[in-house]
Amino acid sequence: MNRVLLFLLFFFQALSSFGQFTIKGKVTDAETGDPIPFAAVLLKGTSIGQNTDFEGNYEIKTASLSDSIQASYLGFLTQAKPLGQALDQTINFQLRPSDFELEAFVFEAGENPAFEIIRKTVNRKKDFDKRSLDAYETKNYTKIEIDIDHLSESFTNRRTVRGVTSVLDSIRQLTNDEGEKILPVFFSETLSKFYYRNNPILKKEIVEKSKVTGVGITDGSTTSQITGSAFQEYNFYKNWLTILEKEFVSPIADGWKAFYDYDLLDSVLVGNDSCYHLKVYPRRAQDLAFEGFIWINKENYALKQVDLTIPQSVNLNFIERIKIQQELTRTSAGPLIPSKTRVQVKIGQITPKTAGLLAKFYTASDSIQVGSAKPTAFFNNAIELKADFGDADEAFWAANRADPLSSEELSVLQMVDTLKKIPIIRFYSEGLKFLGTGFLPIGKIDIGPWTEFGNFNNVEGLRGGLGLRTNYKFSQKWAFQGYLAYGFVDQRFKYSASAKHILDRTRWTTLELRSSRELDQVGLEMESLEGNSIFLAASRFGTLRRPFMSTNQRLTFQREFFKGFLLSAGVNVAQFDPLFDFFYLEKGSREVRSRFETTEVRAGLRYGRDEIIIVNDNERASFGSSRWPIFEINYTKGLQWLGGDLDYHKLNFYLYQKLNMGLFGISRYELDAGKVFGEVPYPILKNHLGNETFFYTTAAFNTMNFNEFASEQFISLRYRHFFEGFLLNRIPLIKKLKWRAVANANVLFGSVSDQNIENVPGIDPAGSPIETFGRLDPNKPYVELGYGIENIFKFFRVDFIHRMTYLDVPDANPFVVKVSAQIIL
């Protein structure tokens, strides 16, 4: 009898399986080809259906069929397709965006029911914010694709562009929803492990494998450091999310009611969790906020998944759309970690005759482990590459990808590989890199910087020059660099040559020897501006103020002892040969002298607690600090017994921090303080940088004249605030212009001792008066206050600056208007 029952059960199960239909497929965005997660797929006329997963896939099993199947999602046009009678069918949907706007709900009494859901979600943020974990680690897969978009007819008809598209005719063409071609120019895949610890907050990513292909990409090691998951973190449990250097308020921020409105759409099943489905949208269209949908777990009010867009009405430039889709997974300890994140950034045309850009980022995290924290020393390098990070075949990637590459992505890879080989593409990509970096790579040597090729000023007349440096292909332990320049009026050669030995790349340790002879100006401090080649070139153009020939021989050692803590030490021997009327009284003998030599021993400390540093070829590059300030302390001792003419001490302290002020915008401040101990000529003092040009700069006091003041001891504060859209977004007509208010304040206290005032003679040896330096009253600060508007026509900025003190000084400028141009989002 038992056997008969088992047989009957097996028979009916087999019979039901035989009569079961399976329909599966994928729902994608017709404009971009990206998957549409959370879309509803239903057999038309029935309640049989399923929501798509994060990859846009669905699978429906049913005992009966209707005549068609449809896919729908808010913000897209519903699409229906006919069904056949086959047991297994694959039906894909490509939905097109619509101009859909949700009708407002009308509530008869009481508050919006969505508000209570959001309120409970915000109250439980600490329970689910991953930042509350002591430590966690994840295994991440990241892929990035960048395409040239908006290929208008005028752009594609250019002779050079036609040459490119004709080569690509043999490859499957990718198009957007208007039928225009897009040209993929970059594609990367990265497999990494990400580590986090709390108290102090430290992060580290170890790139295990990376595959990078792109137009103009020559160094996979540098690029691989920025294509991992470390730069793709979006935590909606934070009040403010930093995206493209802008601060966007989260839909579940503590102050949510001031920024957002919400509609409760439905209760839906997401996986095994019953969730509230809510629509969110900004109260003010220009605010840096999101619109879209969020799903909140009904049981514990945890964020389950998001589908959010930064609308085009937001006060941003060139950005047509930023879209973020994310699903979250609960850890064993309770807090949530994003398991999958997809981000799309669409940049429009700067002008009608140019092209746009479409960037896609995808990160999948698994193997999530919550446990004890790694030691602090483990986080010394924020990003680290394994030795064989680039050695992996297609079989490896097929086995380790979070999901297989789509047919569109395979076409992207083929197209990028083809583009890289087209001569005209290589010419333009290398040209753009040359303009941006200043150097043109030719094998193991880079030529440049181009700013040294030519210049003109009143001392040198026409100046010509040429520079060379080795790159990582030459060596990853040695770096050589130098240039030679000649002035056709002063008939003098100028040069710089350096050799750097990289002793340790993990705890960045270098030893560098440098020799130079160059034209400099009192107060410009050329040595501190070495990283800004364009500014240096501009400083040598036109009329030079208080110029002198500077000859330097320098030996410098530096080492990073732990994360963010860099120690430097060295010796510098220099000669000051003035090209203007300069004299000082020598200490002791009180003889009049016009030139001097210095021998200095230097030591410095630099600390950035959460600063992100990557190694770019044989140099370090900083991506700044997200929360904590960066500070530097430098000490210099001038020695006579080693051949110098002067005996002195110099101490300097510098502090910089970016402050995210939420609703009120972003602030940046720089605190600079220093003191010189000893009797020295005024070029050794702090000669404060003024600005007599028409252009605004943050490096100078914009109402101060060149060489107007020098200080033996000083403290200065430069404060700049960017209101973003806080003020002007609330003015009805102005907000359409997307102007943004800015403000700045510069305050300086300084003084000079009697001994350093008295060592400057009033007349030269011939009896003629000589130009000296201005001094600040130690009880009276130099103050300038400014305000202005940026983002005028998306490029221009105008500042109005008032000089509040020292108005009785000859040639003082009580009020100036400065302009500048910038490309900002």
Side-chain angles (χ1 to χ4, degrees), residues 367-418:
S367 304
I368 299 171
Q369 297 181 27
V370 177
S372 58
K374 298 280 188 183
T376 303
F378 174 79
F379 296 89
N380 189 58
N381 293 329
I383 301 174
E384 185 177 307
L385 301 176
K386 277 199 168 182
D388 59 345
F389 74 95
D391 300 328
D393 56 18
E394 182 54 35
F396 171 86
W397 288 105
N400 287 276
R401 287 188 182 108
D403 48 87
L405 295 181
S406 65
S407 59
E408 289 82 4
E409 288 170 331
L410 292 173
S411 296
V412 165
L413 279 171
Q414 184 183 7
M415 191 173 290
V416 172
D417 286 337
T418 303

Side-chain angles (χ1 to χ4, degrees), residues 478-481 496-503 509-515 530 553-558 569-571 619:
W478 288 94
F480 300 95
Q481 183 172 352
S496 175
S498 66
K500 180 170 67 177
H501 184 36
I502 303 173
L503 303 170
T509 308
T510 64
L511 184 65
E512 182 178 12
L513 178 63
R514 173 170 295 190
S515 177
E530 289 177 347
Q553 283 77 41
R554 187 193 325 164
L555 179 65
T556 305
F557 171 83
Q558 63 176 359
V571 178
E619 300 289 342

